Amino acid sequence: MKIFEKQADLNAYLQSVPAAHASLGFVPTMGALHQGHLSLLAESIKKNKHTVISIFVNPTQFNNPEDLEKYPRTLEADIAKIKTVSNEIILYAPSVQDIYQGQTIAQHFDFDGLENQMEGAFRPGHYDGVGTVVKRLFEIVKPTRAYFGEKDFQQLQIVKKLVQKLKLPIQIIGCPIFREPNGLAMSSRNERLTDTEKERASLIFKTLKTAKSKFKTQSAAKVNAWVTEVFQKSPEISLEYFQIADEANLQPCHRKNNQKKYRAFIAVFINNVRLIDTVSLN
Ligand code: PAF
């Protein structure tokens, strides 16, 4: 397996591979890899001749310094997991210096309002940081296709918008969420939960599933009120937001429109660990 820490070395290698950029899949990650990430790699390998994965904990997308400090960093274990998918995968695991060249600041982006909803509202500057690093990684790797999990559906929509606005010749592919047997969406942050907390966290998906069935006959406001009540009765999980939104522009649903596709989005804290999840509603 080829591993590069410097973009210059990665680029030199890719240039030595005939037509590497003609069919190059890319899976950007922050490491602490789980089954969800491995499924993105498997999808990329199916559709592309070569696959690059990046592992980089991007400082500019963390609005909370404690979250950045505690974010799991497990490079050796990640490499072992990548090898279980294929030995041919190319890993780019840069330093902050290699990405930011001494200027660790985020560029400001206008994603036509997608950035102001939900995660954007509760994590100021988060999507400027994501936009900055994804743009930088795309410039370095120059992939044909890039793969993102649907767990951060808002990020997926924002990356599609970034590519559209910058007119980058990259196809963005969203892949389904992977879940633990109890329904908890797989996330690198789950590593910070105890077994009891992981069990408690099953309430997130359970609530989303019931919200989905309620939304068939009830208004978004009613479903919202019900979800708020569920979490009020479970003080060990604190609800940051629950929102039913239009999938295309992420605007909250006030009146149902049968022509639109809706999604429920949720963010909660369990003992200072922030978890997000989402389900499609129709
Ligand atoms: O989803 C993530 O892991 C990160 O936000 C990403 C896309 C790798 C950018 O740092």
Side-chain angles (χ1 to χ4, degrees), residues 118-169:
M118 302 176 289
E119 291 301 284
F122 284 91
R123 302 181 68 189
H126 172 63
Y127 286 120
D128 280 340
V130 170
T132 302
V133 79
V134 169
K135 177 173 173 242
R136 191 78 206 98
L137 289 166
F138 283 173
E139 284 163 358
I140 294 166
V141 178
K142 299 182 195 68
T144 325
R145 300 184 186 87
Y147 297 80
F148 292 82
E150 282 184 350
K151 184 165 70 68
D152 193 340
F153 190 86
Q154 187 171 5
Q155 168 173 278
L156 174 64
Q157 297 297 64
I158 279 178
V159 172
K160 284 182 180 165
K161 184 67 78 180
L162 176 87
V163 162
Q164 181 199 325
K165 288 207 161 195
L166 298 177
K167 300 188 173 62
L168 301 175

Side-chain angles (χ1 to χ4, degrees), residues 20 28 53 58 63 71 73 82 90 95 103 105-106 142 150 156-157 179-180 183 194 222-223 237 240 251 260 270 274:
I53 178 172
N58 172 36
N63 57 315
Y71 201 87
R73 288 154 171 94
I82 296 168
I90 303 157
S95 61
Q103 291 235 306
I105 43 167
K142 299 182 195 68
E150 282 184 350
L156 174 64
Q157 297 297 64
R179 297 185 180 279
E180 300 291 349
T194 63
K222 271 221 153 131
V223 179
I237 305 182
E240 186 168 61
Q251 291 295 317
K260 290 188 172 176
I270 300 187
R274 192 169 182 282

Side-chain angles (χ1 to χ4, degrees), residues 10-11 14-15 17-24 50 140-144:
L10 172 72
N11 284 331
L14 288 175
Q15 266 168 22
V17 177
H21 295 285
S23 178
L24 183 60
H50 308 279
I140 294 166
V141 178
K142 299 182 195 68
T144 325

